[in-house]
Amino acid sequence: MIDSEIKNAIRIACGQDGQDDDFANKLIKWVEALSSKSMNASQNSDHLNVVIKSINLGKDKQ
Amino acid sequence: MKITINGWESFGLRCPDVKVNLLKNSTPSRVALIQMPNGTGKTTTLKLIRASLTGAAQNWSRDEITELKSLKNPNVQTGKFILELSVDEKPLVIETIIDFVEAKVRYRTSSILLGGVEDGWRPPPNIKRFLEEKFVSLFIFDGEFAADLLDSTKTKATEAIETLSQLDLFDEVVSEADFFWEKQKRDASGTSKPYLNSLKEREAALTRRLAELKKSRETAQNDVASFSKRLAEVDAQLDEKIGQNETIRSEKDRLSKAKSDADAELSTALEKYMQDLRYPHKLYDGFVRHLNTFKVSLDQAKLPDTSSRQFFIELCEEINCVCGRPIGPNEQNHIREHAEHYLSGDISGVLNAIKNDINIYANQNFDEPLSDSRLKLSDAQAKFHDASTGFSNYMLKIKDFQDKGYEELLKEKAQIELEIRSRDNFLSFMSAPYKSSDDEKSSSVVSIETQLRDMQDRIAEVTDTVELRERINLLSKIATNAKLIAKKSLHKQLIDECNERLSKVLVNSPLQIEDIDNHIKLKGQAGGSVGQTLAVAYVFLTAALHRGSHQFPLVVDSPAGSLEQLVRKEVGKVIPELCEQFISFIIDTEKIGFVPALESASNDSISYSTIFRLNQTSEKLIKNVPNENIQMNGDSVLVTGKEFFVQFTLDKEE
């Protein structure tokens, strides 16, 4: 479990950058997994891939 | 997450050989006071508690290990420290075993989660992050650390918040993203936008070149079609003229057929020769010898079987290793991890295919050696040359029998054939396969098409990489920004909470925190007295430790030494409220003011232990103590109970 301040901060920072809730949720899920220290390298890489792929580069808005 | 310390036991170390039990009716007392006179091994005990929690003893130097040796018994070979904990009400025991002969430390861990005892420092994964050294130093606490919290040249306060509130997770996100990027960058050869632009320019050049070549090819193909059409007409006219003379026509047909047959025979011989050339063992019989030797070497080395990943994975399932030693869970994990360094299924497959091919090809008997097919090719070449020359000579000879128009037709035919041959050559160049030395100036459509496809794949790959960089930059930016937001919010909450507690603790000398900017900044003053510093540190750390749903014990060495009596009372009153378990290593002079305040605030959940060395002075002290309250091991004495604790003063007895 991570502090609610951390979750809130992630949501605010994502919002400020124009990222949607879906991305914020995926980032929170990965940070929670990091905090549990129970992931192996492959699970960590899978989480990170999901997060990176969900990032909106803003090209659609142009 | 709730961690409590239930007790510890030490043997053969510089600290006394005692078993300290902090449980009262199976529950740890809220306040546990351990009175140990200076020089009794208080520092050693604290060091061992810390090392049990962090696993750090495995990296201790020989000197650090030797310093822990019992002074009373210097011949001791092994020392042991057993720390008993509860993690979310489940027992966890960590044994630190110190081998003074080898100067090595090893651990043993037992817990329900492990299903018993295991070698090594193995706390459950969910508490590991709370057992890092920087975290443990927040709840195994000394006066020096308290001073650092308020020192403007140090960053302990921020570090404490970041560790306790897991703000360092954001740094981990940035570092994981960077690591991921470095790995991807190694796999991709180009990553920058200018590089992508240069690839796109080359793609445009290749596209232009392909269009030019295709246009030229179409023109050449059209030319060939119209020349062929005219050639057919000329041939028909020549046939018509020749056909008027039956003898000439039949001789011309015979020679033409002989030429076609020779041509077909030459093609067959050439194809056979080229095929034979592809077998190196047909060129030189030494190849067969060397290939067989290579296969025998592979067999002798039992390759690929003994070096395959699969071999090691299957080995994990065995009870004993091939060397005869038993394979336990640790060995299984080690073998599984290291199996990755050995041959994968793909590589093993290639080695097996090589061995199989050597069996099939290198050892077969050839029905025809290479020299035979070379001889046949020479024969076919000679035969074709003769047939071709015979036909051409006859065609030239018969012109004398024909009219003037026949000669002109022959000339036109020769000219058309020349034109067709030149265009066929050009078209043949255009169909040439791609070579690695080709560039965008190549005349081969096939080569340009291949280069264009490769370039497009490359562009796709680099585009992905450039985008990936942008994504990782964005992720790092978001994580950094989120850390700042979380930090600001946490600082504000902590400052408010600490100031509220400080107003209760320091009633007569009010002190407030203004800001936490690397260090704790006090309102209206640069720093506090030693006592104020310790009071602020207590309040700050207990507030920070109390955050979220986590509870940790607070272990403090000399908790009240530097506090004024009035502050001692205030701090003592507040501590039981601030944390769930307070363990304090105390000396005689700290008791006044501090202990009564702690006792009254602890609601009777308080335990008293006094640990000291037995000598002529201290021996008199235990004369009237009931046996059930005394634990003696050699010169080490542990007395439990309030009365002895309060009365204990070595100095006065002396």
Side-chain angles (χ1 to χ4, degrees):
Chain A
M1 283 297 289
I2 54 175
D3 274 0
S4 56
E5 277 78 13
I6 289 184
K7 290 185 190 174
N8 287 341
I10 290 174
R11 288 189 199 290
I12 294 168
C14 287
Q16 286 176 351
D17 197 76
Q19 303 297 325
D20 59 14
D21 284 349
D22 179 55
F23 171 74
N25 289 334
K26 281 173 179 152
L27 181 53
I28 288 169
K29 205 170 167 189
W30 178 44
V31 172
E32 278 194 318
L34 275 177
S35 129
S36 73
K37 305 254 177 204
S38 58
M39 273 190 298
N40 60 30
S42 153
Q43 288 166 328
N44 187 35
S45 175
D46 289 348
H47 261 291
L48 181 53
N49 260 316
V50 169
V51 170
I52 286 172
K53 278 182 188 157
S54 310
I55 293 181
N56 180 5
L57 288 177
K59 289 182 179 170
D60 300 341
K61 294 175 206 161
Q62 287 165 15
Chain B
M1 169 68 56
K2 183 181 175 185
I3 299 177
T4 55
I5 295 177
N6 297 339
W8 61 86
E9 190 178 351
S10 56
F11 168 79
L13 298 164
R14 183 156 295 195
C15 52
D17 292 352
V18 286
K19 183 179 167 77
V20 176
N21 181 13
L22 303 180
L23 297 177
K24 206 173 179 182
N25 301 325
S26 310
T27 312
S29 310
R30 203 173 183 94
V31 176
L33 298 171
I34 322 283
Q35 183 171 213
M36 288 174 86
N38 287 329
T40 320
K42 205 167 37 167
T43 310
T44 306
T45 308
L46 273 164
K47 184 173 183 170
L48 286 161
I49 292 176
R50 249 195 218 111
S52 303
L53 290 166
T54 59
Q58 290 166 124
N59 303 319
W60 280 347
S61 65
R62 180 175 278 272
D63 286 348
E64 278 177 290
I65 290 170
T66 310
E67 270 178 17
L68 297 173
K69 206 172 189 179
S70 166
L71 292 173
K72 176 84 180 168
N73 184 7
N75 295 325
V76 69
Q77 297 196 340
T78 310
K80 201 186 257 190
F81 187 84
I82 303 168
L83 183 67
E84 292 176 10
L85 304 157
S86 274
V87 178
D88 288 335
E89 313 295 338
K90 292 186 184 76
L92 169 70
V93 179
I94 299 172
E95 284 178 57
T96 308
I97 301 150
I98 302 165
D99 181 340
F100 292 113
V101 180
E102 296 284 325
K104 280 185 179 159
V105 177
R106 65 186 177 90
Y107 285 101
R108 274 155 60 91
T109 310
S110 63
S111 80
I112 291 172
L113 284 171
L114 290 171
V117 185
E118 264 198 27
D119 283 334
W121 183 80
R122 298 190 185 284
N126 59 334
I127 67 158
K128 266 191 180 166
R129 80 175 181 85
F130 300 114
L131 300 182
E132 287 173 15
E133 285 200 65
K134 61 179 177 179
F135 199 102
V136 168
S137 67
L138 299 178
F139 60 87
I140 311 281
F141 180 84
D142 57 32
E144 193 186 328
F145 187 80
D148 285 351
L149 285 170
L150 278 82
D151 187 340
S152 62
T153 64
K154 293 184 176 163
T155 57
K156 289 283 179 195
T158 304
E159 281 171 23
I161 297 176
E162 291 193 4
T163 307
L164 287 163
S165 309
Q166 296 178 271
L167 290 186
D168 44 3
L169 278 173
F170 291 114
D171 299 331
E172 214 175 316
V173 166
V174 174
S175 123
E176 287 287 343
D178 281 346
F179 179 73
F180 184 80
W181 166 245
E182 287 303 321
K183 189 176 173 296
Q184 300 293 319
K185 205 166 63 173
R186 276 200 299 276
D187 297 343
S189 53
T191 53
S192 67
K193 269 196 171 168
Y195 179 63
L196 178 61
N197 289 339
S198 81
L199 291 183
K200 283 183 174 169
E201 278 168 23
R202 285 174 64 193
E203 183 203 17
L206 284 167
T207 309
R208 280 196 300 275
R209 177 70 178 151
L210 186 62
E212 282 168 20
L213 287 179
K214 279 186 172 172
K215 199 173 169 188
S216 303
R217 184 173 66 179
E218 198 183 339
T219 309
Q221 283 168 338
N222 289 340
D223 285 352
V224 169
S226 60
F227 281 127
S228 299
K229 190 181 168 196
R230 178 60 195 150
L231 184 63
E233 286 167 7
V234 170
D235 278 340
Q237 285 173 30
L238 283 170
D239 279 349
E240 197 182 332
K241 286 185 187 296
I242 292 168
Q244 288 163 3
N245 184 323
E246 181 58 31
T247 317
I248 293 172
R249 195 174 64 79
S250 82
E251 183 58 11
K252 184 221 156 205
D253 285 348
R254 187 187 70 76
L255 289 170
S256 172
K257 185 174 180 305
K259 188 185 162 191
S260 305
D261 290 348
D263 190 16
E265 204 175 313
L266 177 61
S267 296
T268 310
L270 186 62
E271 195 180 326
K272 174 80 171 59
Y273 184 66
M274 291 304 289
Q275 201 173 3
D276 285 352
L277 276 181
R278 290 193 188 102
Y279 293 108
H281 44 284
K282 274 199 171 190
L283 286 174
Y284 169 56
D285 60 5
F287 278 128
V288 177
R289 223 170 37 247
H290 291 304
L291 283 170
N292 277 326
T293 310
F294 174 59
K295 184 183 170 291
V296 169
S297 307
L298 287 175
D299 287 340
Q300 280 169 350
K302 298 199 186 314
L303 280 167
D305 300 347
T306 49
S307 285
S308 74
R309 199 172 295 163
Q310 192 55 33
F311 169 81
F312 289 104
I313 289 166
E314 283 167 12
L315 183 64
C316 286
E317 307 303 325
E318 298 293 328
I319 298 165
N320 291 316
C321 180
V322 287
C323 65
R325 279 179 285 195
I327 300 178
N330 288 342
E331 288 78 11
Q332 280 178 343
N333 288 338
H334 191 81
I335 293 171
R336 268 196 204 100
E337 278 169 24
H338 286 77
E340 294 302 315
H341 303 311
Y342 290 85
L343 302 180
S344 66
D346 293 349
I347 298 171
S348 297
V350 170
L351 281 178
N352 276 327
I354 290 173
K355 284 166 72 176
N356 196 37
D357 280 357
I358 293 173
N359 261 346
I360 295 172
Y361 295 107
N363 299 319
Q364 70 183 195
N365 291 322
F366 300 112
D367 49 358
E368 196 175 23
L370 185 67
S371 54
D372 283 4
S373 54
R374 190 161 54 230
L375 207 62
K376 279 184 183 166
L377 177 63
S378 299
D379 288 348
Q381 278 175 319
K383 213 167 166 182
F384 176 73
H385 182 260
D386 290 349
S388 180
T389 312
F391 181 75
S392 302
N393 287 345
Y394 186 74
M395 293 304 280
L396 285 170
K397 201 168 83 181
I398 61 175
K399 73 180 183 187
D400 299 337
F401 303 102
Q402 306 299 326
D403 57 21
K404 211 177 170 183
Y406 179 81
E407 194 179 344
E408 279 170 7
L409 281 171
L410 269 187
K411 275 185 190 166
E412 189 184 348
K413 179 180 162 75
Q415 183 58 39
I416 292 170
E417 282 177 338
L418 201 67
E419 295 285 353
I420 290 176
R421 204 173 304 126
S422 107
R423 279 161 184 78
D424 275 348
N425 283 341
F426 178 65
L427 288 170
S428 161
F429 274 128
M430 287 192 145
S431 307
Y434 167 74
K435 294 196 294 288
S436 56
S437 56
D438 285 353
D439 59 15
E440 57 263 36
K441 289 176 192 152
S442 167
S443 299
S444 163
V445 171
V446 175
S447 170
I448 295 290
E449 280 176 338
T450 309
Q451 290 183 60
L452 187 59
R453 252 193 327 270
D454 287 350
M455 190 57 62
Q456 284 164 343
D457 288 349
R458 189 83 201 89
I459 286 169
E461 188 189 327
V462 175
T463 305
D464 281 352
T465 315
V466 169
E467 265 197 24
L468 180 67
R469 177 71 271 190
E470 286 176 30
R471 286 172 190 276
I472 286 172
N473 282 346
L474 260 178
L475 178 61
S476 299
K477 188 181 141 204
I478 290 168
T480 310
N481 196 19
K483 184 178 176 181
L484 287 174
I485 294 166
K487 200 169 166 179
K488 210 171 160 185
S489 153
L490 284 162
H491 281 196
K492 193 180 173 316
Q493 285 180 31
L494 267 176
I495 291 169
D496 291 348
E497 206 172 317
C498 288
N499 282 341
E500 196 188 323
R501 290 180 182 198
L502 278 172
S503 61
K504 288 182 194 166
V505 173
L506 301 170
V507 186
N508 295 319
S509 51
L511 199 65
Q512 294 278 284
I513 295 173
E514 186 179 337
D515 197 7
I516 303 170
D517 178 19
N518 288 339
H519 69 292
I520 298 171
K521 208 168 150 190
L522 299 174
K523 209 177 264 181
Q525 59 189 91
S529 66
V530 182
Q532 283 175 319
T533 301
L534 195 54
V536 172
Y538 275 131
V539 165
F540 172 75
L541 280 178
T542 48
L545 282 167
H546 218 63
R547 291 197 50 75
S549 53
H550 307 306
Q551 287 171 13
F552 303 95
L554 187 62
V555 184
V556 185
D557 184 13
S558 296
S562 53
L563 295 177
E564 289 165 17
Q565 274 209 35
L566 203 58
V567 180
R568 279 185 190 184
K569 275 187 188 171
E570 298 304 327
V571 171
K573 268 195 279 181
V574 172
I575 280 178
E577 284 176 32
L578 297 178
C579 60
E580 291 287 318
Q581 189 186 22
F582 177 69
I583 301 169
S584 176
F585 288 83
I586 197 165
I587 55 170
D588 169 44
T589 52
E590 290 178 283
K591 291 185 286 191
I592 303 164
F594 189 58
V595 173
L598 272 174
E599 187 182 15
S600 64
S602 67
N603 287 332
D604 253 5
S605 184
I606 184 164
S607 68
Y608 301 89
S609 307
T610 306
I611 300 171
F612 54 99
R613 302 275 186 201
L614 199 60
N615 53 35
Q616 282 181 341
T617 312
S618 59
E619 210 170 338
K620 296 174 198 163
L621 295 174
I622 54 172
K623 272 183 185 165
N624 301 320
V625 177
N627 280 345
E628 62 267 28
N629 289 2
I630 296 190
Q631 193 191 117
M632 284 179 70
N633 275 315
D635 71 333
S636 308
V637 185
L638 164 65
V639 179
T640 52
K642 183 182 168 187
E643 197 181 340
F644 188 84
F645 181 92
V646 173
Q647 286 172 1
F648 180 85
T649 55
L650 278 177
D651 292 344
K652 277 181 191 166
E653 287 301 317
E654 281 164 355

